[in-house]
Amino acid sequence: MPFSNLWRTTTFRLTALYGLVFVLGTVVLLGLVYLQATVYLSRRTDDIIAGETRALAASPRPDLGRRIAEDLILNGDRVTVIGLFAPNGARLAGNLDILPLSLRPGGPAMETPPTVHFPSVARLRAQRLATGEILVVGRDVSQLLELRAIVGSALVFGGLTIIFVGLGCGVALSIGPLRRLRTLQAAGEEIALGNLKRRMPISRHQDELDMLAATVNSMMGEVERLMAEVKGATDVLAHDLMTPLTRASTQLHRIEQTGEADPAQFARINAEVDEVLDRFRAILRISELEGRGRRAGFVRIDLMDVIEPVAELYGPLAEEQGVWLTVKGQRGLQIQGDPKLLIEAASNLVDNAIKFSGAGGAVQLRLGEAPGRAEIVVQDNGPGIQISERDAVLQRFYRSDRNRLTPGTGLGLSVVAAICRLHAFALKLEDANPGLQAVIDCGLVAADR
């Protein structure tokens, strides 16, 4: 797997970043341990050397050689270093062969390499006596050097181990997301080639990629619906508008040929043109509703203020058509919505119900009775809509074969569906046995504020 692909994944980058932070933290921790330990041991060694130096320097000169020999026997000549040198540097006593040139009497302690008599690294301190002789006292510091080596090795190998383990974990953790990303890319390429039914795969983990895939799937569902509506609308529009435009063109051609202008012919031509204009007005209305990016007209509204104006508006029409229109509901069901649009949606449903119920029919406009939910219900006892056509009738211009002779544009339910989508409401078409029951489910009743 190319490293460039791994580096593009958030998982790998975060793992590498956390690994780097962990490495730095470990190095700092071990470094502090190293400094604290070495400083403490060096200081402790210097204190011991200083004490021994003071004790030997306080000894009478005739007994100093004997005292040095006793100290070497008592403390061990492999642990303690003592040397007595004449002012000219000649060795007088002790287990130190020569006086180190860099060691200055009264100066700071220093470390010296192994010698013949003391085969270990020693930390030495020199002091000039009152007689002019130089006393050198030291201790074995090989353990201190071993500690430094151990901590240094831990810093190197621990850091390298953490780096490689971090990179390995980053690679391992990135393989899964990369595979899923490639699957999502393949699905996206298939969608781009025109397969609008393809959806992004979603795993059981429900992580951020699944959240993005679910959003894309929802978007693609809406795109597929709109594309299907556009295709269906184009086909139906071409079919339905062909007839009135052909008739209008034929009548105008006849008038042109004969030169006779009959007012009745002009009236029929105007009717044909008005029918076409009505269809285009309905199309523009749906486009206006679906193109709304804001909800500026939304207010708190009681659903009785929606159905009562609709009943008053369509009461005379229902009476004229011989249809019995009743209204049922109680105040208290309040929602957030655009009153004008909701009245328009309910009006379209009632208009369809009156139109298809026919003389002697009955239409009921009521509010739903489900507890805690707000619903607008329009029920009629007409022929209803077959189950197989209930999704299709919500598309633009769709009209079933048995209703093609009934006046209308086939866009009324499309307008209702667009208004419901704008409000995030559900539009349901159900059997009324007999007839149809159209339900605008507005969701839960708005909470009191």
Side-chain angles (χ1 to χ4, degrees):
M1 183 179 297
F3 180 79
S4 59
N5 289 342
L6 286 174
W7 184 249
R8 292 174 185 172
T9 63
T10 303
T11 304
F12 183 82
R13 290 199 298 268
L14 288 179
T15 305
L17 177 61
Y18 292 152
L20 177 61
V21 172
F22 190 73
V23 168
L24 294 177
T26 304
V27 170
V28 171
L29 176 62
L30 293 177
L32 290 175
V33 171
Y34 173 80
L35 291 176
Q36 291 291 334
T38 54
V39 169
Y40 170 78
L41 292 176
S42 298
R43 186 177 300 168
R44 180 64 176 167
T45 302
D46 290 345
D47 291 341
I48 295 174
I49 293 173
E52 292 181 355
T53 302
R54 287 192 299 270
L56 290 173
S59 301
R61 175 64 188 83
D63 296 333
L64 184 56
R66 181 181 55 81
R67 179 69 182 275
I68 291 174
E70 290 177 354
D71 280 358
L72 290 175
I73 295 174
L74 180 63
N75 296 321
D77 59 358
R78 297 298 181 186
V79 176
T80 303
V81 181
I82 303 177
L84 181 62
F85 299 90
N88 62 358
R91 178 177 174 271
L92 301 176
N95 60 347
L96 186 62
D97 297 338
I98 60 174
L99 179 64
L101 296 177
S102 58
L103 185 63
R104 303 298 179 188
M110 60 171 293
E111 295 180 3
T112 60
T115 63
V116 175
H117 291 84
F118 196 81
S120 298
V121 178
R123 190 171 181 83
L124 304 178
R125 184 174 183 272
Q127 180 176 335
R128 189 176 296 277
L129 302 178
T131 60
E133 297 169 328
I134 299 174
L135 176 64
V136 179
V137 180
R139 300 281 292 182
D140 179 12
V141 292
S142 58
Q143 291 183 347
L144 177 59
L145 299 180
E146 291 177 0
L147 177 62
R148 292 175 182 173
I150 291 173
V151 176
S153 300
L155 282 171
V156 175
F157 292 107
L160 291 176
T161 300
I162 293 173
I163 289 174
F164 286 117
V165 171
L167 290 175
C169 291
V171 172
L173 293 174
S174 301
I175 290 176
L178 267 180
R179 288 177 178 172
R180 293 184 56 204
L181 184 60
R182 288 175 178 172
T183 303
L184 295 176
Q185 286 178 334
E189 290 173 356
E190 191 173 342
I191 293 172
L193 292 175
N195 185 8
L196 298 183
K197 294 187 178 297
R198 186 73 164 89
R199 294 294 180 268
M200 296 289 179
I202 298 178
S203 67
R204 296 174 296 177
H205 305 293
Q206 296 296 313
D207 58 9
E208 62 273 10
L209 287 178
D210 294 317
M211 296 170 61
L212 177 61
T215 302
V216 173
N217 288 342
S218 176
M219 178 183 68
M220 287 307 304
E222 184 67 11
V223 170
E224 182 184 8
R225 181 190 67 79
L226 292 175
M227 292 298 292
E229 285 192 4
V230 169
K231 183 179 181 303
T234 302
D235 295 341
V236 176
L237 184 64
H239 180 272
D240 285 359
L241 296 186
M242 182 68 72
T243 300
L245 291 176
T246 301
R247 288 199 298 262
S249 176
T250 301
Q251 294 175 20
L252 289 174
H253 183 68
R254 183 180 299 114
I255 294 174
E256 181 183 6
Q257 293 293 329
T258 60
E260 297 178 358
D262 185 0
Q265 287 182 326
F266 280 115
R268 287 192 295 272
I269 294 173
N270 286 331
E272 301 289 354
V273 174
D274 288 341
E275 182 180 349
V276 173
L277 292 176
D278 287 342
R279 292 178 184 270
F280 281 109
R281 291 191 190 100
I283 294 173
L284 292 175
R285 181 58 176 155
I286 295 175
S287 299
E288 177 188 356
L289 292 172
E290 293 185 339
R292 283 193 174 192
R294 60 184 181 87
R295 298 185 176 187
F298 279 35
V299 295
R300 192 182 182 92
I301 182 175
D302 192 299
L303 288 185
M304 284 300 295
D305 293 329
V306 174
I307 67 172
E308 285 179 347
V310 175
E312 293 177 2
L313 177 64
Y314 280 89
L317 176 63
E319 183 177 354
E320 180 182 345
Q321 298 290 332
V323 176
W324 182 257
L325 175 62
T326 59
V327 182
K328 180 181 179 182
Q330 295 182 349
R331 291 192 170 274
L333 294 180
Q334 296 186 347
I335 62 168
Q336 291 289 332
D338 189 318
K340 294 181 180 180
L341 295 181
L342 292 176
I343 290 175
E344 181 179 353
S347 298
N348 282 336
L349 294 178
V350 172
D351 183 73
N352 278 348
I354 294 174
K355 182 189 304 181
F356 292 105
S357 294
V363 175
Q364 185 179 73
L365 174 61
R366 69 176 188 271
L367 299 183
E369 299 176 354
R373 296 195 70 84
E375 295 178 340
I376 300 176
V377 182
V378 178
Q379 180 177 337
D380 63 67
N381 59 354
I385 300 175
Q386 297 180 4
I387 296 178
S388 59
E389 293 184 312
R390 288 180 186 173
D391 290 334
V393 295
L394 300 180
Q395 299 177 7
R396 304 179 190 182
F397 296 108
Y398 180 85
R399 304 185 72 190
S400 61
D401 293 336
R402 64 181 179 181
N403 295 329
R404 286 197 175 273
L405 298 179
T406 304
T409 62
L411 292 169
L413 289 178
S414 299
V415 172
V416 178
I419 294 174
C420 289
R421 282 194 295 271
L422 177 65
H423 287 77
F425 294 163
L427 175 60
K428 298 179 288 186
L429 303 179
E430 304 170 346
D431 284 325
N433 296 319
L436 180 72
Q437 176 176 283
V439 180
I440 299 177
D441 186 351
C442 307
L444 299 177
V445 178
D448 293 333
R449 295 181 181 177

